[in-house]
Amino acid sequence: MIDDTAPEATAYQDAMRRALAEARLAGAAGDVPVGAVVLDAAGAVIGTGHNDRERTGDPTGHAEIVAMRAAAAARGEWRLTGCTLVVTLEPCTMCAGAAVQARIGRIVYGAVDLKGGAAGSLWDVVRDRRLNHRPEVVAEVLAPECGALLTEFFTTRRVG
C-alpha cells in the first residue's frame, strides 16, 4: 500500500480528485462510478472520461478507454507516449492492455480491484516482461476515497 503522503502519491492527488469528479458523473448516470484523466508530460489534463457503458451500450465504455480516446484526439495521434493515466479503480485487462498499446508512460490508480485488476493485484498485464512497453505504476492514490465511492454505489444497488 502506498502512503498518500509519499511524493509519488501526492504528485497525483489533484489529478485523482479530478478523476473522482468524473467517477461521480458515472454514478449519477447509473453506471459504475469509475473516472479517469490523462495528463500530458507537463501535467496538463488532455483527456477525461468516466464509465459510460449503460448510456452507450458499449462494452468498451470504461473510463480509461474514454479518457485515452479523448487524449488521443487532443494530440492528434494514438500514441500517448509520456502521458499519465490516472484512474479511480485499478484497470481491468482490457484497459491495461489499451494503456500498453497506447504507450502510456505511467498508470496511477486509486482503489485496488482484487476481482479484475490487471495492474498488479489479480494480474499484472502492464509489467509483463514479454511486452515491449511497460508503464510505471503508482497504486492506491486516494484509495479510501476511491473505494468508498464504489462501496456506496454497490451498497445502494443491493439494498434498493
Side-chain angles (χ1 to χ4, degrees), residues 2-158:
I2 278 204
D3 175 2
D4 274 344
T5 61
E8 63 271 18
T10 57
Y12 299 108
Q13 286 183 356
D14 286 342
M16 187 61 76
R17 286 184 185 96
R18 177 88 182 259
L20 279 162
E22 286 290 324
R24 288 183 191 95
L25 293 173
D31 216 321
V32 177
V34 178
V37 299
V38 177
L39 309 174
D40 67 12
V45 174
I46 59 169
T48 63
H50 56 271
N51 276 2
D52 200 20
R53 294 180 305 173
E54 297 301 328
R55 185 185 67 79
T56 63
D58 179 358
T60 68
H62 288 204
E64 301 94 312
I65 301 296
V66 174
M68 286 189 287
R69 284 179 180 153
R75 287 185 94 168
E77 67 171 325
W78 63 267
R79 286 178 192 85
L80 298 176
T81 307
C83 292
T84 298
L85 172 64
V86 180
V87 59
T88 59
L89 179 64
E90 180 182 0
C92 69
T93 54
M94 175 182 68
C95 295
V100 169
Q101 292 299 315
R103 310 299 192 265
I104 289 283
R106 181 178 302 107
I107 296 171
V108 176
Y109 69 85
V112 172
D113 185 355
L114 297 175
K115 293 182 179 179
S121 63
L122 186 59
W123 295 289
D124 201 352
V125 170
V126 299
R127 291 179 284 206
D128 188 314
R129 293 178 341 152
R130 296 168 291 184
L131 298 174
N132 66 341
H133 178 74
R134 291 181 297 279
E136 173 189 352
V137 176
V138 178
E140 299 185 65
V141 174
L142 299 181
E145 293 91 330
C146 295
L149 194 58
L150 290 159
T151 299
E152 179 184 332
F153 177 82
F154 287 112
T155 299
T156 60
R157 293 298 183 274
R158 289 184 190 114

